[in-house]
Amino acid sequence: AQKITQTQPGMFVQEKEAVTLDCTYDTSDPSYGLFWYKQPSSGEMIFLIYQGSYDQQNATEGRYSLNFQKARKSANLVISASQLGDSAMYFCAMRRSYQLTFGKGTKLSVIP
Amino acid sequence: KAGVTQTPRYLIKTRGQQVTLSCSPISGHRSVSWYQQTPGQGLQFLFEYFSETQRNKGNFPGRFSGRQFSNSRSEMNVSTLELGDSALYLCASTGSGIAETQYFGPGTRLLVL
């Protein structure tokens, strides 16, 4: 069975600073996909970034980058130059058999 | 392209009633997935449809059912509502490509009284 662990229930970051949100996963599948989503208070899940298990390079999308350490089974999200609009819940997820398994999420609060 | 749309956005029902939620995927997407989000259980997978066929189902009772139409629009139905069914129900459509990214709609907030 797949499992996603996000150990930080809440995080604070100063505006314009970088922040790392932790995610570890457990799977026996050799091929898998890892995703990060942002969920503002409105409820919609917004796709941020994807990392495939065979990707050699860490994924990047604008201010988002993924620190992928396959041997450690970790896929941490790095947000650079935090903005007030980054305050939200962040979820790490793994895809298998047409479904996503999500972690419990991390609530990020950006302080002006 | 328009995003995933879900209707209604908010719903209040009483125990024992049934409810139907609707989801229209992004144009061209043929796969639709449903998730339930509650404060206690987090995000849980309900089921996934592709070309009108259910390919995968989560661990939910038979009161939860779904279907997909030929135009890829999907509905989920919950019969005999219980208080614990109060949740945010999220629908996602899956894009093509190696990532098969799921793009979510705004969700339907269901309150069961």
Side-chain angles (χ1 to χ4, degrees), chain A residues 5 50 61 65 68 72 87 89 91 94 98 106:
Chain A
T5 302
Y50 163 81
E61 288 285 351
S65 62
F68 181 48
R72 293 186 175 186
S87 294
M89 285 291 293
F91 292 93
M94 175 182 288
Y98 317 119
T106 296

Side-chain angles (χ1 to χ4, degrees), chain A residues 32-92:
Chain A
Y32 50 87
L34 295 160
F35 300 80
W36 276 92
Y37 287 87
K38 171 185 177 181
Q39 187 177 43
S41 56
S42 60
E44 183 171 356
M45 297 284 283
I46 301 167
F47 165 69
L48 296 177
I49 197 166
Y50 163 81
Q51 180 83 44
S53 58
Y54 293 120
D55 293 343
Q56 296 295 316
Q57 307 257 22
N58 286 341
T60 60
E61 288 285 351
R63 294 187 299 112
Y64 305 107
S65 62
L66 206 152
N67 183 1
F68 181 48
Q69 298 187 46
K70 194 171 181 178
R72 293 186 175 186
K73 294 190 175 180
S74 74
N76 298 338
L77 176 70
V78 180
I79 305 174
S80 62
S82 296
Q83 303 171 355
L84 296 178
D86 293 336
S87 294
M89 285 291 293
Y90 288 81
F91 292 93
C92 179

